[in-house]
């Protein structure tokens, strides 16, 4: 019997134990090292073209593995994004965990539990699922696994014959930053390319430098873990994934559905099965990680999973667009600090956003020098437009023509030339959301506005 189908049929842990040793030795299951930054936007890695921030480890994983150009989180907010990763389901299907400071009910299967039941050694360090409290959901530990002080401690506790699944949840580059921490790096504020939705001012440039400093620290720590695996002879059969939960903690980025909020860096390395040196343009979602890891381990994904395994892309030898059906991504948000429900459909050429509470402003931006500057200069003629872009009221619909406006600054939804296209995107988004059972599209969205808040970080 095919081993993968055999494991997926039932009782994965028991069945794996009954396999002949020779069968297990011939096809050892891969280890999984999942490295997730906290608030890192897609554009800020040297392999993506940023000339100031230096990410040699991320670049190495991309060079020796696969670099993704169109990877999107399910929601640009910590709790729902991480819940979607762990369950392989869209954030809006996860009840309280669709909001910041929610809980993740135990009825939602998470891949670390499934891997552990199949004989994997699982664990995490630092930030796993959250913020929120997993206990009201009936769990006794973080959904990402049991906590360890670090990677070395985790490996020391691993049974010799067991493959591992480790979640490295860095707190970088989440705020608050230590102002001036970047000064010892030799970087210059004048060298930064300020995103066009932020004012080009010394306070903003300095804030970006501090953000870059923490990205590089995250990158260095991953390098240390890869070196450990290399010494132990475990690196080549380890699936290494580097990404982030949501975008940079700056105005019009994190908690927003524009690219700097929802488009994520992603590189994956697995020399045992994945040919390196490739760049993929298929649209992929963070909901795809769970079914990928489960398939790689020979475990059938739960029926509730909405993501699709990335293995066909990873094991292909092609570049560019590989699967024609992967031509779009959906994502959205509910309550972060405030309730600001919205959903988006992103294709190569367009971004369509539906705001369920039009004429309301999204004020959910982390405090810091950039936000302070925008707020304090809202009446300054030179900078007023940045306040409107970030904190002005949003219309019911937004549409951005990315061939003309890659920065997503000019909403063309009301322009007559785009009416037919806007309607097409609206209908397509509605159909997808209804098929995936989004409560907002079925008249049950008020739940998200009143769901409990659990302000106990875990």
């Amino acid at each position: 019997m095919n081993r993968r189908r055999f494991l997926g049929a039932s009782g994965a842990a028991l069945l794996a134990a009954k396999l002949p040793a020779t069968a297990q030795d011939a096809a050892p299951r891969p280890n999984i090292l999942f490295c997730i930054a906290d608030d890192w936007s897609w554009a800020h890695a040297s392999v993506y073209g940023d000339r100031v921030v230096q990410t040699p480890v991320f670049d190495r994983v991309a060079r020796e593995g696969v670099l993704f150009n169109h990877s999107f989180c399910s929601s640009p907010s910590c709790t729902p994004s991480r819940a979607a990763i762990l369950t392989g389901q869209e954030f809006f299907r996860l009840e309280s965990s669709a909001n910041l400071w929610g809980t993740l009910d135990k009825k939602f299967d998470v891949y670390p539990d499934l891997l552990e039941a199949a004989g994997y050694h699982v664990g995490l360090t630092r930030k796993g699922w959250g913020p929120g409290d997993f206990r009201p959901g009936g769990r006794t530990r973080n959904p990402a696994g049991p906590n360890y002080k670090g990677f070395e401690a985790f490996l020391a506790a691993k049974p010799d014959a067991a493959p591992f699944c480790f979640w490295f949840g860095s707190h970088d580059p989440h705020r608050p930053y230590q102002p001036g921490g970047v000064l010892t790096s030799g970087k210059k504020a004048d060298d930064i390319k300020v995103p066009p939705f932020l004012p080009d001012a010394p306070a903003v440039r300095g804030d970006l430098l501090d953000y870059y400093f923490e990205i590089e620290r995250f990158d260095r720590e991953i390098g240390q873990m890869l070196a450990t695996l290399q010494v132990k002879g475990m690196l080549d059969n380890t699936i290494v994934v580097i990404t982030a939960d949501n975008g940079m903690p700056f105005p019009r980025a994190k908690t927003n559905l524009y690219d700097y909020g929802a488009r994520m860096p992603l590189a994956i390395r697995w020399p045992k099965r994945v040919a390196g040196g490739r760049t993929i343009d298929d649209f992929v979602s963070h909901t795809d990680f769970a079914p990928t890891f489960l398939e790689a381990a020979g475990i059938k994904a739960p029926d509730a999973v909405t993501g699709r395994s990335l293995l066909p892309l990873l094991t292909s030898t092609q570049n560019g667009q590989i699967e024609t059906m992967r031509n779009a991504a959906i994502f959205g948000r509910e309550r972060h600090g405030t309730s600001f429900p919205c959903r988006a459909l992103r294709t190569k050429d367009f971004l369509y956003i539906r705001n369920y509470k039009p004429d309301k402003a999204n004020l959910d931006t982390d405090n810091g020098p950039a936000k302070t500057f925008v707020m304090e200069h809202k009446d300054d003629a030179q900078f007023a437009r940045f306040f409107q872009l970030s904190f002005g009221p949003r219309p019911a619909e937004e549409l951005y023509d990315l061939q003309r406006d890659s920065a997503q600054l000019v909403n063309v939804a009301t322009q007559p030339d785009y009416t037919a296209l806007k309607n097409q995107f609206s209908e397509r988004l509605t159909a997808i959301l209804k098929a995936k059972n989004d409560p907002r599209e079925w008249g049950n969205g008020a739940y998200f506005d009143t769901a409990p808040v659990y302000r106990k970080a875990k």
Side-chain angles (χ1 to χ4, degrees):
M1 179 181 291
N2 178 276
R3 181 170 181 267
R4 181 171 297 172
R5 294 179 61 188
F6 187 59
L7 284 175
S10 63
L14 177 61
L15 294 173
K18 290 183 176 180
L19 285 172
T22 53
Q24 297 189 56
D25 292 341
R29 291 177 293 172
N31 304 306
I32 299 165
L33 175 58
F34 183 71
C35 307
I36 181 169
D38 199 355
D39 300 358
W40 177 28
S41 288
W42 146 80
H44 301 132
S46 40
V47 72
Y48 284 126
D50 193 299
R51 297 184 178 182
V52 177
V53 68
Q54 297 298 309
T55 54
V57 179
F58 182 80
D59 298 355
R60 173 196 172 185
V61 169
R63 183 176 63 253
E64 298 176 356
V66 177
L67 179 69
F68 288 82
N69 280 332
H70 295 106
S71 175
F72 293 85
C73 61
S74 182
S75 180
S77 173
C78 293
T79 309
S81 175
R82 292 161 186 264
I85 290 170
L86 288 161
T87 62
Q89 297 193 50
E90 310 296 343
F91 81 100
F92 50 71
R93 295 165 57 93
L94 303 177
E95 299 178 355
S96 172
S97 209
N99 291 336
L100 192 72
W101 298 105
T103 191
L104 184 57
D105 196 284
K106 66 178 181 180
K107 69 183 178 184
F108 298 113
D109 291 322
V110 293
Y111 76 78
D113 288 352
L114 299 174
L115 289 172
E116 185 177 46
Y120 270 72
H121 176 57
V122 304
L124 72 90
T125 193
R126 302 183 200 170
K127 186 172 181 178
W129 168 88
D133 191 344
F134 50 76
R135 295 173 300 178
R139 299 180 183 273
T140 58
R141 71 183 192 194
N142 192 290
N147 270 291
Y148 287 84
K149 290 183 178 180
F151 191 47
E152 295 279 1
F154 168 79
L155 290 179
K158 185 183 79 69
D160 289 341
F164 72 77
C165 175
F166 187 70
W167 174 295
F168 172 54
S170 176
H171 293 293
D172 291 335
H174 196 287
R175 294 186 187 275
Y177 304 145
Q178 180 178 353
V182 76
L183 295 179
T184 58
S185 71
K187 297 186 187 305
K188 298 179 180 179
D190 290 345
D191 294 334
I192 281 185
K193 182 178 180 181
V194 178
F197 53 87
L198 293 174
D200 191 347
V204 176
R205 285 181 173 271
D207 204 12
L208 287 167
L209 280 180
D210 291 333
Y211 160 70
Y212 279 9
F213 175 81
E214 295 205 358
I215 293 172
E216 293 184 350
R217 184 167 60 189
F218 167 68
D219 192 76
R220 286 195 301 272
E221 288 194 277
I222 298 172
Q224 294 167 3
M225 290 187 287
L226 298 189
T228 296
L229 292 176
Q230 184 73 59
V231 169
K232 294 180 178 293
M234 302 168 69
L235 184 56
D236 283 354
N237 196 33
T238 296
I239 302 173
V240 177
V241 177
I242 306 178
T243 191
D245 58 353
N246 49 247
M248 60 194 290
F250 285 73
R252 204 175 167 87
K254 178 182 177 180
T255 79
N256 287 271
L257 304 189
Y258 313 112
D259 274 9
Y260 279 78
R263 189 177 179 183
M264 299 288 97
L266 176 61
I268 301 178
R269 179 188 189 274
W270 184 19
K272 196 79 171 180
R273 286 193 59 189
V274 175
R278 293 185 298 124
T279 300
I280 292 179
D281 291 328
D282 293 52
F283 279 70
V284 301
S285 168
H286 277 13
T287 59
D288 297 335
F289 293 140
T292 301
F293 299 154
L294 292 172
E295 183 181 0
I299 302 170
K300 184 181 182 299
D303 292 340
V305 166
T306 58
R308 292 178 291 167
S309 172
L310 298 174
L311 281 189
L313 302 182
L314 293 172
T315 57
S316 169
T317 58
Q318 300 178 46
N319 285 281
Q321 187 78 33
I322 298 173
E323 295 183 355
T324 56
M325 294 299 292
R326 287 186 179 268
N327 58 17
I330 64 161
F331 38 91
R333 63 156 285 186
E334 282 294 335
R335 189 178 66 209
H336 188 81
T338 60
S339 175
F340 191 78
C342 47
R343 304 288 188 269
L345 175 62
R346 171 71 154 81
T347 66
K348 178 182 177 182
D349 295 326
F350 291 93
L351 170 66
Y352 172 79
I353 298 175
R354 175 178 298 159
N355 295 306
Y356 292 91
K357 296 183 179 181
D359 301 322
K360 182 178 180 180
N362 177 12
L363 302 177
D364 289 330
T365 299
D366 294 17
N367 293 327
K371 178 181 179 180
T372 298
F373 185 91
V374 171
M375 299 290 285
E376 290 181 348
H377 292 79
K378 64 179 181 178
D379 297 321
D380 186 323
Q382 182 181 357
F383 299 112
R385 71 184 186 94
F386 295 106
F387 177 84
Q388 290 302 317
L389 283 170
S390 296
F391 304 120
R394 307 285 172 85
E397 294 179 291
E398 299 174 62
L399 181 67
Y400 298 92
D401 185 339
L402 306 183
Q403 294 301 310
R404 298 181 178 183
D405 176 28
S406 61
Q408 303 161 1
L409 302 179
V410 181
N411 179 17
V412 299
T414 60
Q415 294 184 17
D417 289 348
Y418 289 91
T419 298
L421 185 65
K422 180 197 69 175
N423 291 339
Q424 291 174 15
F425 271 90
S426 177
E427 292 171 5
R428 183 179 178 185
L429 179 61
T430 296
I432 294 173
L433 295 177
K434 285 190 172 182
K436 292 178 179 287
N437 293 320
D438 186 342
R440 283 286 173 193
E441 290 297 324
W442 288 109
N444 301 316
Y447 163 81
F448 296 123
D449 300 329
T450 58
V453 176
Y454 301 100
R455 288 190 173 273
K456 184 173 180 60
K458 287 289 183 180

